[in-house]
Structure formats: C-alpha cells, structure tokens
Amino acid sequence: MGLYEEMTPGIFRICQEVRKGWIPFTMNLYALPGTAGLLFDAGSGARGAVTYAARALDALEKERGTRVRRILPSHAHWDHFSGTSALAKRRRMEVLLTEAMVPLVRTRACYRAAYQERKSALHPPRSRGREAMRNLKDRLIDEAFSLSMGLQAVTGPFSLLCVGDHVESEAGTWEVLAGPGHCDAHIMLWNASSGILLGGDNVLANITTWLGPPRSNITAYQTTLETIRDLPGLTLILPAHGRPITDPIKRTTQLIAHRKKRLAQIKEKVAAAGPQGLSGRALVQHYYPHMAPLKRSIAQGWIEATLLHLLEEGELSRTLEKGLWCYHRR
Ligand SMILES: [Zn+2]
C-alpha cells in the first residue's frame, strides 16, 4: 500500500501509525480533494507522524493534480487535532474549527484543564494536599505523554465552521453533523447523495468507542448512535480508527444494544448489593480484576460515565463510605 488509499471515488485514507508498543493504534485521516479540498482529522503531532501525513498529501496532490488545502479535526481528542498546526504551517493549509473545539485545543494547558476537571464517580474531591499531589502527577504524565505521543495544541489562525455548514469536494457535498457523546466537541461529515459518513470515533468496527468523564455523555452518545442509524440511505461509515464499516446500520444497532445492556448490568449489580450499596471501585474491580492500573484507569471510563448518568437520571443515589462513593438503587 502506498502513502494513501482511495476508499471510494474521491475519498482517500492516510493511515497514520501513532505508536508501536505502549498504545499501539492507527489513525485514519481522510483527504477529500477538491477546489480547496479538506483533510478530515489531523492525527498525531509527533514529527514522524506529521511528516508521513504531509508526504501523503503532497503525493496525492501531485499524482492526482488536485488540492487538499484545509484541515478540520473531528473532535477535541489529542489524536485527532495534534497534527493540525504543523501540517497547516508546513503545507500552507487553512485550519477549520468548530466553536466548541476552540476552548479545548488552543493551548496544551487548556486541553489538560478541560479533561482534568474530572468529576470522579469513584471518590469525592480529596484534601488540598492530595489534590496538589494528583495535579503534579497528572502534569508529569501529561509531559511524558506529550513527548511520546505528540500532543500539540492548535495554534495560529483558524476559521470557524458550524454544524449544518456544507463542505464541497470532488466526492460531493458534505454536511457537518453534530456527534456528541464520546466527546462533547465532536462532529461528523455526512454525504447524503452517496450515503457515506465520516464518523470520527463514534462508530468503530472492532471495538466500542471510549467513554468517560468529564467530556463523555451517555445520553448524548445514545442519541448520536440513533441519529447515525437513522441517516437516510446510509451505506458506509469511514471511522477514524480501524477498518471501514460496510454494514453501518447493523453495527450501529449492535452498539446501541451494547450500551443498553451495560446500563442494565450496572443497575442490576447495584440493586443486587442491597441496602449497603456498591462502591464504584468495586464495580471497576468486578469488570477489570487483573488489568494494570494505567490501562484500567482508561478502561473504567464507561463505568464512571454510566454511574454519573444513572445518578443524574435519578435511578441511583450515593453515599460516602470510607472515602469512596457507594451507590444505591432508588
Ligand atoms: Zn476520541
């Protein structure tokens, strides 16, 4: 395979390997050439990843005699926007952002703050000393993470794009759709004439998308999945990670059912614990008994998001027991 691959006429995928080892995964950047053209998602900001994407875009323009001169991230997660500024500078591309993305991606500090105002579902805010220690630890993890994975803020000029706007390319007209749930600042691109959705992280082929506080929302995610399932004439979802989804309605229906099953499981487990209730930590232990702590802190996100959702819906209540939130069925 070359630097890029034509998925369907006029839609090109640049598959960027973010890192082998600690978190091995690949990013799909979609180039939609046109009069100005558009790159949907910018991937990692690590030098090698940016160079790879730039070479692929240069080759695409040269070989096809076409243009890809704008960049739009699908959402405010580091693996989707970090390459934006470096690519824009290197290739003189215009950056497009939605209003919701702006406060999250403009500096590393605001990105960090946006994900650290963490409403933990496991324990309440701790003493000032412990919070300071935690902030220091998070800061160190963030620095290590930025260096190794290529987290980069979106600096420099940008133009605003809104939900409902349309973007033209050789592959037709794309409508900007809202797609919150996995991340509140998440958009998708929908081509009504071909029935193709560039879905970002909302629907993935082999794994369920990550959910967790503070920027995921279970209700919004369910609504987004239902919106996707009901898109008239949906034929193909091109996701930001993994292979294309050629049975989009079946896959989306599976994911809706999976989330409902997870909701029911958490409610049942809390109910089964009886009057003394069940701590969030015990639930995490139940689902991930042998997982390494760092990996588990990522995996447990959906449990926390689900507990907070059920609390908000009034289906659960909670009390503080020995420094941990303990949940009760109402
Ligand atoms: Zn994401």
Side-chain angles (χ1 to χ4, degrees), residues 74-80 182-183 186 200-202 209-210 240-241:
S74 65
H75 63 289
H77 280 162
W78 72 273
D79 51 328
H80 298 260
H182 163 67
C183 166
H186 195 311
D201 276 359
N202 280 324
T209 199
W210 178 86
H241 304 283

Side-chain angles (χ1 to χ4, degrees), residues 94-160:
E94 181 190 5
V95 174
L96 303 175
L97 297 174
T98 64
E99 211 166 340
M101 289 175 194
V102 175
L104 307 180
V105 304
R106 293 294 279 167
T107 65
R108 265 172 45 187
C110 72
Y111 180 69
R112 192 168 52 230
Y115 288 90
Q116 267 181 12
E117 50 181 57
R118 198 171 130 75
K119 266 197 283 174
S120 174
L122 304 192
H123 52 77
R126 289 167 168 160
S127 69
R128 236 193 243 172
R130 286 187 75 172
E131 280 299 300
M133 276 304 287
R134 193 175 74 102
N135 285 341
L136 182 66
K137 197 174 108 200
D138 285 348
R139 186 79 189 252
L140 291 172
I141 290 173
D142 174 64
E143 287 301 327
F145 187 77
S146 306
L147 279 174
S148 64
M149 306 293 277
L151 165 65
Q152 295 294 342
V154 183
T155 55
F158 68 93
S159 305
L160 274 181

Side-chain angles (χ1 to χ4, degrees), residues 92-300:
R92 292 193 297 280
M93 295 168 85
E94 181 190 5
V95 174
L96 303 175
L97 297 174
T98 64
E99 211 166 340
M101 289 175 194
V102 175
L104 307 180
V105 304
R106 293 294 279 167
T107 65
R108 265 172 45 187
C110 72
Y111 180 69
R112 192 168 52 230
Y115 288 90
Q116 267 181 12
E117 50 181 57
R118 198 171 130 75
K119 266 197 283 174
S120 174
L122 304 192
H123 52 77
R126 289 167 168 160
S127 69
R128 236 193 243 172
R130 286 187 75 172
E131 280 299 300
M133 276 304 287
R134 193 175 74 102
N135 285 341
L136 182 66
K137 197 174 108 200
D138 285 348
R139 186 79 189 252
L140 291 172
I141 290 173
D142 174 64
E143 287 301 327
F145 187 77
S146 306
L147 279 174
S148 64
M149 306 293 277
L151 165 65
Q152 295 294 342
V154 183
T155 55
F158 68 93
S159 305
L160 274 181
L161 193 75
C162 301
V163 167
D165 282 355
H166 291 84
V167 180
E168 299 297 330
S169 83
E170 285 166 14
T173 304
W174 300 85
E175 184 185 346
V176 179
L177 299 183
H182 163 67
C183 166
D184 49 358
H186 195 311
I187 52 159
M188 310 179 286
L189 292 184
W190 167 237
N191 189 322
S193 50
S194 61
I196 297 173
L197 180 77
L198 303 185
D201 276 359
N202 280 324
V203 180
L204 306 176
N206 301 323
I207 52 168
T208 54
T209 199
W210 178 86
L211 295 169
R215 311 212 77 92
S216 292
N217 182 290
I218 298 282
T219 310
Y221 185 56
Q222 287 283 21
T223 306
T224 291
L225 288 178
E226 284 160 13
T227 303
I228 294 172
R229 181 198 58 197
D230 298 338
L231 284 170
L234 177 67
T235 55
L236 179 68
I237 299 176
L238 295 173
H241 304 283
R243 63 174 171 79
I245 295 144
T246 51
D247 52 356
I249 294 172
K250 186 175 161 202
R251 179 64 182 144
T252 311
T253 305
Q254 268 175 4
L255 290 173
I256 292 168
H258 175 76
R259 286 266 64 89
K260 282 188 180 150
K261 194 174 95 187
R262 289 302 212 191
L263 262 179
Q265 276 176 3
I266 298 281
K267 280 196 275 188
E268 274 162 30
K269 287 192 193 308
V270 173
Q276 78 270 27
L278 188 63
S279 72
R281 180 163 288 171
L283 269 169
V284 171
Q285 274 297 338
H286 168 79
Y287 281 99
Y288 304 109
H290 306 301
M291 204 175 258
L294 188 58
K295 220 171 159 187
R296 187 167 58 197
S297 71
I298 298 168
Q300 75 192 30

